[in-house]
Amino acid sequence: MVRSTTDGKTHAEHATQIAALAADAARGYFRGRLGVEFKTDESPVTQADKGVETIVRAYLAEHFPEDGIFGEEQGAEGLNRDHVWIIDPIDGTRSFLSGHPLFGFLLGLLVKGEPLLGVIGMPALNECLLGIKGQGAMLNGQSVSVSGTESLSHAVFFVNEGDKIYRDHPDLFGDLMHSGQTRRFAYDCYPHALVAMGHVDAVIDYDLQPYDFLPVAAVIEAAGGVITDWNGNPLNLKSDGRVISAATPALHAELLAMTQGR
């Protein structure tokens, strides 16, 4: 159960409010004139990334001053606390700065290291997925769930970060290209959101950070799906960023058989 906070709201209500604030802020920057910088790993960061995270942190500081925070742009504090919020202000900065609408906003709440709650917000699409452990997942307030697909041969699945998978694991990439009923290439969080909504059956992803996958993990599991690393381990702050999400255990097992030991 997601408990009420001191002001009477549940964590889920606060998370929904934060997502709305983040979406409004992101839309204010989208397709505008953006200052772009590049981090040491050559990934871009814009004024929007910094601005959205600042807004979210201010909200959390006001309502949850005792909780830890791990944000992409401003780092981590209090990771040893029982409650830790995870923030990715603009998931898909390269999409965002190129005017592509499939960038997201990710928010998660860990309780004693385990994902309890997750948000996948899609500001340009006016979509917000909320998942709560043991309580299901909702899209804009309406219940959603994963598909029942159990066989990879009948699955619609996405390969995220396909260029990196091809570079580092060409044999696996070749196997993926001969798998599934329908394959699509993509980046970022939206393919995982589509799994939670039941439109896509599985996603294989690569080279992620905790703020990329922990909010997503809460949503996928709340929607009835399965999400682990490539060796079948539960996701946590120390996971290596290689992720499989799938609608059913059987489908997940087929993908896992391809990735284990890679």
Side-chain angles (χ1 to χ4, degrees):
M1 178 67 67
V2 179
R3 298 182 182 276
S4 295
T5 54
T6 55
D7 61 2
K9 292 183 180 179
T10 65
H11 283 99
E13 289 173 307
H14 281 289
T16 301
Q17 179 64 32
I18 292 169
L21 292 171
D24 286 344
R27 285 191 292 265
Y29 289 103
F30 187 50
R31 294 180 178 169
R33 299 177 66 85
L34 298 172
V36 181
E37 303 170 7
F38 285 86
K39 303 177 187 178
T40 55
D41 64 357
E42 297 188 356
S43 62
V45 58
T46 67
Q47 294 172 8
D49 296 84
K50 296 177 179 179
V52 171
E53 185 165 324
T54 296
I55 289 169
V56 174
R57 282 178 174 268
Y59 187 102
L60 292 174
E62 177 181 354
H63 296 279
F64 302 99
E66 302 302 318
D67 291 358
I69 299 178
F70 183 10
E72 179 177 10
E73 304 308 331
Q74 299 179 38
E77 55 188 71
L79 292 185
N80 61 337
R81 298 173 186 170
D82 284 350
H83 291 74
V84 177
W85 294 89
I86 310 294
I87 310 164
D88 190 345
I90 301 289
D91 183 70
T93 300
R94 293 184 189 275
S95 291
F96 185 89
L97 64 84
S98 61
H100 188 59
L102 297 186
F103 66 92
F105 165 74
L106 299 178
L107 181 71
L109 176 61
L110 306 184
V111 177
K112 296 183 178 180
E114 295 187 5
L116 173 74
L117 175 153
V119 170
I120 304 175
M122 304 300 297
L125 304 181
N126 290 311
E127 293 181 354
C128 183
L129 271 164
L130 171 69
I132 307 168
K133 185 176 182 179
Q135 297 186 44
M138 295 180 292
L139 171 65
N140 295 348
Q142 300 297 312
S143 179
V144 293
S145 61
V146 296
S147 75
T149 301
E150 296 190 342
S151 170
L152 185 57
S153 63
H154 296 102
V156 177
F157 85 100
F158 272 76
V159 178
N160 269 13
E161 303 288 347
D163 51 341
K164 293 179 182 178
I165 295 174
Y166 177 75
R167 178 194 67 199
D168 296 342
H169 301 281
D171 292 343
L172 171 61
F173 184 86
D175 292 342
L176 293 171
M177 293 306 95
H178 294 90
S179 301
Q181 190 274 327
T182 297
R183 294 176 302 279
R184 301 291 293 168
F185 291 92
Y187 297 89
D188 312 320
C189 62
Y190 199 52
H192 297 280
L194 293 172
V195 171
M197 291 185 237
H199 301 304
V200 171
D201 302 310
V203 180
I204 182 167
D205 217 331
Y206 186 67
D207 195 31
L208 304 182
Q209 298 296 325
Y211 42 76
D212 296 316
F213 57 75
L214 289 175
V216 165
V219 175
I220 292 291
E221 291 178 346
V226 182
I227 183 167
T228 69
D229 69 13
W230 282 13
N231 288 310
N233 300 309
L235 299 175
N236 56 51
L237 285 167
K238 296 182 179 180
S239 296
D240 64 11
R242 302 182 298 173
V243 171
I244 297 171
S245 63
T248 62
L251 180 55
H252 178 267
E254 280 198 68
L255 285 167
L256 192 61
M258 299 170 67
T259 60
Q260 279 184 309
R262 300 280 186 167

